[in-house]
Amino acid sequence: GLPAALPALPLELTVLYNSLLFTMGASHSVIEGEAEEIRQGLLRVLEAFGACGQDLSTEELWQKVLQEVTAEELQAPLHRLGALQAAWWLAARRLGSTAGLFWLLSNTEDTGRARCSEGENELLSLLRAWQVPPEGASLPLVQSAKDLKEILCTAAAFLRGLQELEAENFPTALSLLQEAAGGFCSKRVLAQIYTCLGCCAQQMGKPQTALQHLKRALQVDFQCLPALSHVAAVYHELGQTEAELQALALLYEALEKNPPAAASSSPYFLIQTELLVRTPLLASILRHRHPSEVKYLLAQRCLQDGRVADAVEHYLDFLVLLQEGLEQQVPLDSGSALPRIPEVFLEAASALEQAERHQDAITMCEEVISRTTDLIPRMLRVEEKLEQPECPSPGTGLAGGLLSQKKESLCCLAWRAAGYLHQGWAWAALGESKEAVTQFSRCLSDLLRVQLWGSGVEPTENLPPEVEVLQKIRMLSLIGRGAQFLELGRHKEALLDFQHSLQISPGDPAAASYLVQALWKLNRKQEAAARWQEFSQSALEEDRQQERQGRPFPLYLGSCLKRAVFPHSASLARSVQDYLRTATRDPPS
């Protein structure tokens, strides 16, 4: 309540500086809002000189104080308070305000500032140019302005690097992040900077450089587990599956032994880089994966690479984690890599089937079938692509909701149909052809719920992804049922299924080969030979078209795609070729 007096102001501003340092450092959390205490301190300075600035913004207040107050004894306290204000603004990502403040603190002319703007970075140039006033021995400080300057320089370079990385200006981002890495920070922050450097190099198409940065991050701080996660991603990009799986296994082990804890503060400085650099991009780069996510990635990669036994083990471990309450481990808004739970069950069934554990695969699929039955409407009509409008009008809310509901229904239908499909192939592998036919028929009956086009209208060429999956399941089920009809000697029924499968996917090699075999068994050898010649000529071109145009199908269909491959191609080709040679030597009279 005492009026401001010039002799007391240096002590008053120093006490304010120290108290704010304690307040900011003790919170260990991001600095938010305006520094009202700093504003009041500046107003006290103006009051001591008979001026006021209540109506001014904080930026305007700083400009007025630094331009009008020239007392030598106030320069060092004001510069310290200015550095603290800069920390506040950096934390709020107000880099322009921070640059303006240091322009004032350095008393730089307009021409000088223009020269800085033409350099690499204005803010960093001004920070480096700022001369820290000498500290008074009679006024102890809890953190010197010189140390604070070093932290500000590191934080500014880090923030600017993240901005350029988000804007995809990768060379500039790389340069700024490298400058931050050479700055004043803890090992934990240094590891974070190297992790960002790794991500930047990866996006520049330099995976080996990315690995060097990420390994450096782990050398600095092995608790920087996001770096290990990014290492696995780079190995995946390089196609080095063994190294990727080793990285994921290490990550899972580290997460199990030592779950990520809250950031600890340095005992040496109250203001640290950690408190100043908090951005959504950095949070995304440094997101800690949960053990369940890593376990799923291990299972998925093993299945994709054909390591069936390992895939089964990881999938079963993951399902145990699921029973323990997965929703408590992975928040829904965390950007998790986990797919929908029915897909995980189906992928596990695919792995079990490839491991010849057919009965277990059947049980796994039964879980999916039972849980999706009540979620599927009796009929689904799909007349156009299921895409939300990019800029929905105010009246499209209800339509958008119905569209989303239809997509969800199609997903549930695909999962249940895939469950029946897997069961059909599993029963077939067990030699139970009749039970296999039953499951394939249930799959096909389910898919009749979808009307892909209206009466008299041809199906659309560009089907929605959900419908493409249903069409693939239908084709695989027809091939599976037709193959079992052949086993049961029901050749005409088999022929019909293969014909229908070729209507869905003309030129499919498996369906075409099975069709030729069905004709051959029906003793329609001339027609079979003609079809075989036709399919042989178009097979290569068809494969190329599928490679160019085909959309990848869900991983859980992998085992079914393998089962559907025609197993007797060589013997069938020899039989047809022998027949053609005989027909050429002995033409009909």
Side-chain angles (χ1 to χ4, degrees):
L2 295 174
L6 180 59
L9 276 178
L11 176 60
E12 191 175 329
L13 293 179
T14 301
V15 170
L16 174 60
Y17 172 81
N18 285 337
S19 65
L20 283 176
L21 279 172
F22 278 119
T23 301
M24 295 165 72
S27 66
H28 303 321
S29 60
V30 65
I31 305 167
E32 296 179 333
E34 283 286 355
E36 185 59 32
E37 295 88 345
I38 294 179
R39 180 179 176 84
Q40 293 303 318
L42 295 176
L43 290 173
R44 291 277 289 173
V45 172
L46 289 178
E47 182 186 345
F49 287 88
C52 63
Q54 293 285 355
D55 298 332
L56 300 177
S57 68
T58 305
E59 289 95 330
E60 292 169 339
L61 196 56
W62 270 108
Q63 184 175 0
K64 184 177 180 65
V65 168
L66 292 174
Q67 288 179 347
E68 296 184 7
V69 176
T70 58
E72 187 65 30
E73 61 269 33
L74 290 181
Q75 293 307 303
L78 283 174
H79 275 247
R80 287 195 295 266
L81 208 57
L84 211 50
Q85 178 70 77
W88 228 283
W89 280 340
L90 279 180
R93 302 194 292 281
R94 294 171 59 179
L95 305 189
S97 298
T98 309
L101 177 58
F102 279 102
W103 174 67
L104 291 168
L105 289 171
S106 301
N107 195 24
T108 307
E109 297 294 332
D110 286 347
T111 55
R113 188 178 183 186
R115 282 195 296 271
C116 289
S117 299
E118 293 169 4
E120 292 183 1
N121 185 273
E122 179 185 15
L123 174 57
L124 289 173
S125 298
L126 289 167
L127 266 169
R128 285 191 291 265
W130 174 47
Q131 297 294 322
V132 181
E135 311 288 356
S138 60
L139 299 175
L141 302 172
V142 296
Q143 185 170 339
S144 72
K146 182 179 179 181
D147 291 336
L148 189 52
K149 174 185 176 179
E150 295 297 328
I151 290 169
L152 291 174
C153 286
T154 303
F158 198 178
L159 282 168
R160 287 288 296 117
L162 289 169
Q163 282 186 340
E164 297 295 340
L165 181 58
E166 190 168 17
E168 299 185 355
N169 298 324
F170 300 126
T172 306
L174 200 67
S175 174
L176 287 163
L177 290 171
Q178 285 171 339
E179 182 169 347
F184 194 69
C185 61
S186 64
K187 286 186 176 181
R188 189 169 72 87
V189 172
L190 183 57
Q192 293 176 359
I193 296 171
Y194 276 119
T195 302
C196 293
L197 279 166
C199 292
C200 183
Q202 184 181 7
Q203 293 185 64
M204 293 174 73
K206 298 179 178 180
Q208 295 299 337
T209 304
L211 286 174
Q212 290 176 9
H213 288 308
L214 294 169
K215 289 177 180 178
R216 177 66 175 147
L218 291 167
Q219 289 170 357
V220 170
D221 178 15
F222 188 71
Q223 291 303 311
C224 187
L225 298 184
L228 193 52
S229 180
H230 287 292
V231 166
V234 174
Y235 279 130
H236 179 68
E237 180 183 307
L238 291 171
Q240 297 182 19
T241 306
E242 188 64 43
E244 179 193 5
L245 291 174
Q246 287 179 6
L248 288 172
L250 279 173
L251 178 59
Y252 181 76
E253 183 180 352
L255 288 170
E256 283 286 283
K257 288 182 178 179
N258 187 20
S264 59
S265 61
S266 167
Y268 304 108
F269 300 111
L270 293 168
I271 296 297
Q272 307 164 72
T273 310
E274 292 91 322
L275 298 180
L276 309 183
V277 183
R278 304 284 181 93
T279 73
L281 176 61
L282 183 62
S284 173
I285 291 173
L286 299 178
R287 187 181 78 84
H288 280 273
R289 290 195 181 276
H290 291 76
S292 51
E293 291 182 83
V294 181
K295 178 58 71 174
Y296 171 74
L297 284 174
L298 280 166
Q300 182 194 59
R301 298 292 188 258
C302 286
L303 183 57
Q304 290 172 332
D305 196 52
R307 305 175 187 225
V308 178
D310 291 337
V312 168
E313 180 183 348
H314 290 308
Y315 274 114
L316 295 180
D317 288 344
F318 175 81
L319 293 176
V320 170
L321 293 174
L322 186 65
Q323 290 178 338
E324 293 175 355
L326 183 61
E327 68 281 353
Q328 298 175 3
Q329 301 180 45
V330 184
L332 293 176
D333 59 349
S334 66
S336 166
L338 296 177
R340 302 287 293 276
I341 298 304
E343 292 192 18
V344 177
F345 273 79
L346 290 170
E347 288 176 16
S350 181
L352 288 165
E353 206 174 326
Q354 292 179 64
E356 305 298 327
R357 294 172 59 174
H358 305 297
Q359 199 63 54
D360 291 334
I362 291 168
T363 304
M364 191 74 68
C365 291
E366 195 57 44
E367 185 74 15
V368 176
I369 293 167
S370 63
R371 290 181 179 271
T372 54
T373 296
D374 296 334
L375 304 176
I376 304 170
R378 295 187 64 182
M379 190 61 65
L380 273 167
R381 189 183 184 96
V382 182
E383 295 180 346
E384 55 187 26
K385 288 184 73 67
L386 301 176
E387 291 182 351
Q388 298 282 5
E390 293 184 4
C391 300
S393 61
T396 59
L398 179 59
L402 292 173
L403 196 59
S404 177
Q405 183 180 355
K406 184 175 288 188
K407 291 182 74 169
E408 182 68 11
S409 297
L410 285 171
C411 287
C412 290
L413 179 58
W415 296 330
R416 193 170 86 153
Y420 284 132
L421 176 66
H422 276 289
Q423 288 185 331
W425 285 109
W427 284 116
L430 291 169
E432 300 287 343
S433 294
K434 290 184 178 180
E435 185 62 36
V437 167
T438 300
Q439 300 306 319
F440 286 131
S441 297
R442 286 175 177 170
C443 174
L444 293 167
S445 177
D446 252 9
L447 296 176
L448 291 176
R449 296 168 184 257
V450 180
Q451 290 184 342
L452 294 182
W453 55 89
S455 177
V457 181
E458 290 300 319
T460 58
E461 293 182 1
N462 299 315
L463 294 173
E466 297 84 0
V467 178
E468 282 195 12
V469 171
L470 292 174
Q471 290 284 65
K472 193 68 174 181
I473 292 172
R474 184 174 174 223
M475 189 198 75
L476 292 170
S477 192
L478 284 167
I479 291 176
R481 190 174 70 172
Q484 296 313 300
F485 280 149
L486 287 177
E487 292 290 328
L488 295 169
R490 297 160 63 176
H491 301 149
K492 289 184 178 180
E493 292 168 280
L495 181 61
L496 285 174
D497 276 350
F498 299 140
Q499 287 172 335
H500 288 152
S501 65
L502 283 170
Q503 289 175 2
I504 297 170
S505 180
D508 181 81
S513 299
Y514 271 114
L515 177 67
V516 171
Q517 187 185 42
L519 289 169
W520 194 265
K521 288 182 176 292
L522 287 167
N523 205 28
R524 294 160 59 175
K525 295 185 177 181
Q526 186 175 357
E527 185 179 352
R531 285 298 190 101
W532 181 81
Q533 287 179 310
E534 175 188 338
F535 291 138
S536 298
Q537 291 171 358
S538 62
L540 182 59
E541 182 60 31
E542 193 68 33
D543 287 343
R544 289 172 179 168
Q545 288 180 2
Q546 288 181 359
E547 286 177 8
R548 288 195 300 267
Q549 301 172 3
R551 183 185 281 120
F553 290 102
L555 180 60
Y556 61 76
L557 290 180
S559 63
C560 299
L561 290 165
K562 291 177 181 177
R563 298 271 183 198
V565 174
F566 184 66
H568 310 300
S569 297
S571 60
L572 180 62
R574 283 195 300 271
S575 298
V576 173
Q577 287 168 349
D578 289 344
Y579 171 80
L580 289 172
R581 280 194 293 269
T582 303
T584 302
R585 286 197 305 267
D586 305 317
S589 55

